[in-house]
């Protein structure tokens, strides 16, 4: 999904993230050759570095203030997705420029992280300048 939308990199923490081989490598279907994975010790610190480079940090949260499609975003964007079930950690949420949600028409208002990523990347691609 990241490769299909032209994502430049995926940032994950050294701890609590899957390794980029095994099941993850198989499910990526060769996309690891197109989208590098960067591991960091601290997401908040990496956000500060990215903000210095004019990235807008958007956290995806089912209780976000605005629907992602309502934001006026300029590239580059750093899209933050949390763990399934727990979502984005509170300390990471505080570092985001925006907390946005995906308004879904059905009874369930939250998707698994893979589906949420695909939908959010599509929406962000459509609304960004």
């Amino acid at each position: 999904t990241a490769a299909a939308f032209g994502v430049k990199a995926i940032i994950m923490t050294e701890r609590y993230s899957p390794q980029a081989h095994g099941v993850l490598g198989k499910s990526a279907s060769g996309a690891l050759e197109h989208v590098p994975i960067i591991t960091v010790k601290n997401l908040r610190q990496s956000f500060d570095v990215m903000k210095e480079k004019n990235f807008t940090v958007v956290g995806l949260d089912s209780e976000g203030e605005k629907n992602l499609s309502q934001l006026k975003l300029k590239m580059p964007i750093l899209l933050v997705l949390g763990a399934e079930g727990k979502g984005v950690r509170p300390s990471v949420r505080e570092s985001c420029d925006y907390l946005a949600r995906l308004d879904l028409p059905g009874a369930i208002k939250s998707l698994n992280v893979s589906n949420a990523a695909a939908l959010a990347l599509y929406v962000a691609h459509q609304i960004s300048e």
Side-chain angles (χ1 to χ4, degrees):
T1 302
F5 283 100
V7 169
K8 302 296 183 212
I10 295 172
I11 301 172
M12 299 190 313
T13 56
E14 289 177 355
R15 296 174 52 190
Y16 310 115
S17 294
Q19 297 297 312
H21 58 277
V23 174
L24 182 96
K26 276 185 170 181
S27 65
S29 302
L32 293 177
E33 297 173 17
H34 302 285
V35 182
I37 294 179
I38 300 167
T39 55
V40 297
K41 288 186 182 196
N42 186 295
L43 282 177
R44 289 181 68 173
Q45 289 175 354
S46 67
F47 291 179
D48 291 341
V49 171
M50 301 302 280
K51 286 180 181 184
E52 289 173 8
K53 298 181 184 298
N54 296 317
F55 276 75
T56 302
V57 181
V58 181
L60 201 60
D61 188 291
S62 61
E63 296 179 8
E65 300 159 10
K66 289 189 174 185
N67 183 343
L68 180 61
S69 66
Q70 295 173 326
L71 297 178
K72 303 254 188 270
L73 299 172
K74 291 185 180 182
M75 292 293 192
I77 299 167
L78 180 70
L79 185 61
V80 181
L81 298 136
E84 291 187 22
K86 296 179 183 176
V88 177
R89 291 175 178 251
S91 62
V92 172
R93 289 168 57 108
E94 293 170 10
S95 298
C96 295
D97 297 315
Y98 299 100
L99 283 177
R101 66 183 183 276
L102 296 169
D103 283 339
L104 303 170
I108 295 177
K109 301 300 178 192
S110 180
L111 299 170
N112 70 38
V113 71
S114 174
N115 290 324
L119 186 53
L121 287 169
Y122 178 79
V123 171
H125 180 75
Q126 296 298 308
I127 63 172
S128 63
E129 297 177 359

